[in-house]
Amino acid sequence: MANFDSFLLDHAAAEKKASGMAVSMLSHYPDRIELVSAMADLAIEELTHYREVVKWIHHRGLLTAADQKDPYVLAFREFMRKGKEEYLLDRLLTASIIEARGAERFALVAQALEEPALKKFYQSIARSEERHYELFLELANKYVAASTVAARWDELLDIEARIVAELPIRAALH
Ligand SMILES: [Fe+2]
Ligand SMILES: [Fe+2]
């Protein structure tokens, strides 16, 4: 919170990447009807979040920053399996975990903020990312057997715990 300006810039980048990820998902799986519809909606919603964060950035006299790799998301990518169904499941489940963490952190940020309008904004962002966490989990269960989803979910959460333990603490979403 002491470096909230940096956090805002990172947040904007994360929303933009989330929108791009949704577009990449719908391009990759044209035969999955529910996925294509859901990802089209999500891409718009995430870009709307981006637009809103950009307003806060400009309001504070800042400029959006050049893209940087997100070490947390990048580390996850190394654990994605290659098989067709495995890859789909891993993409959906890591997306769900990333959204869940986003929801938790935005809620913490909202708690710490004092400016009422900004606090309200982060509360609403947290609720929105919470829905995305559920959406990706629902899609996983739609396309893959529940027992397979549950087993991989557990594995990925262990992987995530190891990733997070190695990450430096910084004024960023992850
Ligand atoms: Fe978002
Ligand atoms: Fe999201």
Side-chain angles (χ1 to χ4, degrees):
M1 296 312 291
N3 198 354
F4 189 68
D5 285 353
S6 292
F7 176 82
L8 264 182
L9 299 185
D10 178 73
H11 178 187
E15 297 290 5
K16 189 177 59 176
K17 287 174 198 162
S19 179
M21 188 277 292
V23 172
S24 144
M25 286 289 281
L26 66 85
S27 304
H28 203 100
Y29 300 104
D31 54 333
R32 313 263 183 182
I33 293 169
E34 290 86 355
L35 184 149
V36 170
S37 307
M39 290 303 107
D41 288 342
L42 184 64
I44 293 166
E45 192 183 345
E46 300 290 25
L47 204 62
T48 304
H49 291 169
Y50 171 76
R51 183 69 188 101
E52 287 166 2
V53 181
V54 166
K55 279 184 195 157
W56 285 108
I57 287 172
H58 290 165
H59 181 69
R60 294 163 84 95
L62 305 167
L63 295 175
T64 47
D67 273 348
Q68 286 176 341
K69 295 279 181 205
D70 184 322
Y72 170 73
V73 176
L74 216 60
F76 253 137
R77 219 164 274 170
E78 284 173 34
F79 293 91
M80 300 267 194
R81 296 164 306 167
K82 297 235 154 50
K84 199 164 179 259
E85 184 173 88
E86 287 85 354
Y87 184 58
L88 171 63
L89 180 59
D90 286 2
R91 282 185 91 173
L92 291 171
L93 292 184
T94 52
S96 179
I97 293 171
I98 292 167
E99 293 284 359
R101 272 337 143 213
E104 286 173 3
R105 273 140 203 192
F106 290 134
L108 289 170
V109 166
Q111 254 176 43
L113 282 166
E114 276 163 24
E115 190 182 337
L118 200 52
K119 192 183 191 72
K120 220 174 137 203
F121 172 65
Y122 272 94
Q123 283 166 344
S124 118
I125 285 278
R127 281 194 297 272
S128 184
E129 309 305 354
E130 175 96 32
R131 283 195 303 275
H132 301 164
Y133 140 66
E134 287 162 2
L135 168 71
F136 280 111
L137 208 48
E138 281 163 19
L139 285 171
N141 278 293
K142 171 162 235 38
Y143 295 124
V144 181
S147 58
T148 309
V149 173
R152 188 58 178 159
W153 180 248
D154 272 353
E155 284 173 8
L156 284 170
L157 286 174
D158 288 343
I159 287 169
E160 190 213 15
R162 294 201 297 274
I163 293 171
V164 170
E166 306 266 304
L167 289 177
I169 298 206
R170 57 195 189 111
L173 178 55
H174 305 124

